[in-house]
Amino acid sequence: MADAKIAKLQSAVAELNQISENEKSGFISLVSRYLSGEAEQIEWSKIQTPTDEVVVPYDTLSPPPEDLEATKKLLDKLAVLKLNGGLGTTMGCTGPKSVIEVRNGFTFLDLIVIQIESLNKKYGCKVPLLLMNSFNTHDDTQKIVEKYANSNIEIHTFNQSQYPRLVMEDFQPLPSKGHAGKDGWYPPGHGDVFPSLMNSGKLDALLSQGKEYVFIANSDNLGAIVDIKILNHLINNQNEYCMEVTPKTLADVKGGTLISYEGRVQLLEIAQVPDAHVNEFKSIEKFKIFNTNNLWVNLKAIKRLVEADALKMEIIPNPKEVDGVKVLQLETAAGAAIRFFDHAIGINVPRSRFLPVKATSDLLLVQSDLYTLVDGFVIRNKARTNPSNPSIELGPEFKKVANFLSRFKSIPSIVELDSLKVSGDVWFGEGVVLKGNVSIAAKSGVKLEISDGAVLENKVINGPEDI
């Protein structure tokens, strides 16, 4: 049955002239793997907690060379790749997420460029920046990158694959059914970074420049900066792959974790966990770390594995609906590739290397006095004694960036804040200070204004009289 489905799909895909032969064969191979149901079930009893050899504590890494010349040599082996395929739709923006302004008028992309510029300047090295776009972000990113034409870094952009969405009912490609627009297609997750690096010619170009490692991270993770200590460790120990993990808090219970399984290190995602063990997976006791998606990968190893078609990562089925038609998109994650590389390790890094901006509540953190900006690096304020960040929940009125910005005359001081909950039609004046646990809930139909300079400490506010 599966064979007939694949044969029919293959002939339909052959007709799609919007995509390359590489994309067609990559897509067919992904669907074949999905249909053959080769996803091995994880045997729960075989899961072992990784040792410190496999997940290395950051504090035990040797210090990098102090010598500028030796550091330059290390950095000249590195390329930085940011995953730039995502749109800012969750936050009410239409273009690439990386062009949302994060701090002092700088976008994610500005900060990334400034960071690499200061690195190249300080050490006299030439670390290039690669941006992996999707067909959704490509055109906008091309325009934006022009403004960095005079910077001292080489910026390369390339596209990840474009695959057709599958109609659930008959397993045919959506674009074959008259869906000619963008919604007929999807980018198949960041696991696609490895074949796309190769297919775009960027991988061979990097190798010919003497590059050995690529540092891959999400463009919205402000903590993902080049770390010479990690690079030094990987080169000295010939680790082909390294995943940065960090201790789980209750906010991260769904994040993938590293396990030792049948003698290899691998990523365990919540989707692979049998229902009976989901609560155990979410507990902080047994699985103490999670994947930050900051990955360091050896370029020659990528080439070897892509050429051998050996990167068969777990498939993540993502069902969607387009104009009432139920469709399926099959995706893979870059972190799941860890088990195919030799001497792969995790490094248990400080939480400061994981500072993603997924929603406006995260934007509030990074725009506040909790952080300062130095050379494109977002640095935490030493005045904050609590190692963890305040938990922030903003209501739907704050979901879109534009609305969020209009509701704050200035971002409140939150150095001494533990938690903030805001719901309803709430507006913040200038210079507001929030401390302890603050909850502000405007009743339906009531506009609640927090006046300039207000100091709210451990307060529950339901109306003007409570301020």
Side-chain angles (χ1 to χ4, degrees):
M1 177 64 196
D3 293 348
K5 260 187 184 170
I6 286 290
K8 200 176 157 206
L9 181 62
Q10 223 159 354
S11 57
V13 169
E15 309 276 300
L16 299 172
N17 54 12
Q18 300 94 319
I19 56 175
S20 68
E21 291 310 311
N22 278 333
E23 286 169 310
K24 290 176 185 177
S25 61
F27 175 67
I28 293 296
S29 130
L30 190 63
V31 178
S32 313
R33 283 207 299 131
Y34 175 70
L35 285 176
S36 72
E38 60 155 74
E40 309 132 45
Q41 277 299 304
I42 291 249
E43 280 189 56
W44 199 254
S45 58
K46 287 186 180 173
I47 290 178
Q48 292 179 308
T49 304
T51 62
D52 280 2
E53 269 98 74
V54 182
V55 175
V56 183
Y58 184 81
D59 298 344
T60 66
L61 300 180
S62 330
E66 284 179 16
D67 179 47
L68 276 179
E69 190 50 38
T71 305
K72 174 189 185 306
K73 273 203 180 111
L74 280 179
L75 286 167
D76 276 334
K77 296 179 177 179
L78 182 69
V80 172
L81 190 161
K82 297 288 177 169
L83 301 168
N84 192 48
L87 293 168
T89 39
T90 348
M91 293 162 78
C93 299
T94 49
K97 186 170 178 188
S98 58
V99 300
I100 292 175
E101 285 191 7
V102 190
R103 175 113 201 181
N104 305 16
F106 293 117
T107 65
F108 288 104
L109 214 45
D110 293 336
L111 295 177
I112 290 164
V113 170
I114 295 167
Q115 287 165 14
I116 297 179
E117 274 180 341
S118 28
L119 203 62
N120 286 347
K121 202 162 135 193
K122 182 172 178 185
Y123 295 104
C125 52
K126 288 194 170 67
V127 175
L129 170 64
L130 290 90
L131 299 172
M132 183 168 86
N133 297 316
S134 63
F135 60 87
N136 288 318
T137 59
H138 173 261
D139 295 346
D140 286 337
T141 304
Q142 290 308 92
K143 289 191 202 99
I144 291 153
V145 166
E146 284 170 14
K147 79 175 196 188
Y148 308 120
N150 302 326
S151 76
N152 69 352
I153 46 177
E154 258 183 61
I155 300 181
H156 303 266
T157 58
F158 66 100
N159 269 18
Q160 73 172 113
S161 309
Q162 174 173 337
Y163 285 176
R165 285 177 160 159
L166 277 172
V167 178
M168 291 270 216
E169 194 182 25
D170 57 4
F171 245 67
Q172 286 292 286
L174 189 58
S176 314
K177 305 195 151 189
H179 272 268
K182 277 190 174 175
D183 58 5
W185 305 89
Y186 75 99
H190 45 61
D192 183 51
V193 62
F194 305 115
S196 296
L197 255 179
M198 180 91 170
N199 295 339
S200 63
K202 298 295 178 192
L203 182 61
D204 286 333
L206 290 172
L207 286 167
S208 70
Q209 293 174 0
K211 304 296 174 199
E212 291 178 25
Y213 279 87
V214 60
F215 173 43
I216 303 173
N218 296 356
S219 62
D220 67 4
N221 178 6
L222 296 171
I225 57 182
V226 170
D227 188 305
I228 298 165
K229 206 162 139 178
I230 293 178
L231 179 63
N232 183 47
H233 182 88
L234 301 180
I235 290 174
N236 288 341
N237 294 279
Q238 297 186 311
N239 303 109
E240 288 188 347
Y241 188 111
C242 163
M243 174 188 288
E244 293 185 36
V245 291
T246 197
K248 243 193 217 184
T249 67
L250 289 169
D252 318 301
V253 291
K254 290 183 176 162
T257 190
L258 283 184
I259 56 171
S260 290
Y261 191 78
E262 298 185 327
R264 290 188 84 89
V265 60
Q266 74 182 59
L267 182 68
L268 176 65
E269 296 274 14
I270 194 161
Q272 298 161 269
V273 177
D275 291 346
H277 296 285
V278 167
N279 282 345
E280 195 179 341
F281 175 83
K282 285 181 171 178
S283 87
I284 303 185
E285 277 70 57
K286 179 164 180 175
F287 299 103
K288 295 184 163 68
I289 50 173
F290 76 99
N291 170 21
T292 62
N293 220 35
N294 298 347
L295 310 170
W296 301 74
V297 194
N298 180 284
L299 292 164
K300 280 188 182 139
I302 295 176
K303 188 175 165 84
R304 180 187 80 232
L305 292 166
V306 171
E307 281 178 344
D309 194 23
L311 293 172
K312 300 200 183 308
M313 281 93 89
E314 290 76 12
I315 295 172
I316 306 156
N318 189 353
K320 300 257 179 186
E321 207 168 285
V322 178
D323 296 339
V325 181
K326 286 189 164 51
V327 295
L328 185 62
Q329 46 191 57
L330 302 176
E331 302 171 13
T332 61
I338 189 166
R339 63 193 175 100
F340 302 105
F341 289 83
D342 293 335
H343 310 298
I345 57 167
I347 291 182
N348 194 347
V349 298
R351 183 74 188 202
S352 57
R353 294 192 55 76
F354 184 66
L355 185 60
V357 178
K358 300 287 179 205
T360 49
S361 52
D362 301 322
L363 213 46
L364 174 58
L365 290 173
V366 298
Q367 292 187 347
S368 74
D369 56 352
L370 209 50
Y371 290 94
T372 47
L373 196 59
V374 181
D375 289 342
F377 302 109
V378 179
I379 295 172
R380 207 156 179 273
N381 186 342
K382 298 262 193 307
R384 168 98 179 160
T385 45
N386 183 341
S388 57
N389 279 345
S391 80
I392 294 180
E393 282 177 53
L394 301 175
E397 295 79 3
F398 290 82
K399 190 177 176 192
K400 294 182 172 176
V401 175
N403 298 351
F404 164 84
L405 292 172
S406 68
R407 286 176 176 273
F408 289 99
K409 265 201 214 165
S410 72
I411 299 292
S413 161
I414 58 171
V415 176
E416 295 176 53
L417 179 70
D418 294 321
S419 72
L420 171 68
K421 268 188 180 173
V422 182
S423 60
D425 187 13
V426 179
W427 299 77
F428 288 81
E430 194 122 359
V432 173
V433 178
L434 304 174
K435 300 178 178 190
N437 298 298
V438 178
S439 167
I440 305 169
K443 296 188 183 76
S444 174
V446 176
K447 180 178 180 182
L448 192 50
E449 295 188 45
I450 309 296
S451 53
D452 294 355
V455 177
L456 306 179
E457 184 167 2
N458 296 324
K459 285 218 154 178
V460 177
I461 294 169
N462 295 315
E465 65 285 351
D466 300 324
I467 298 174

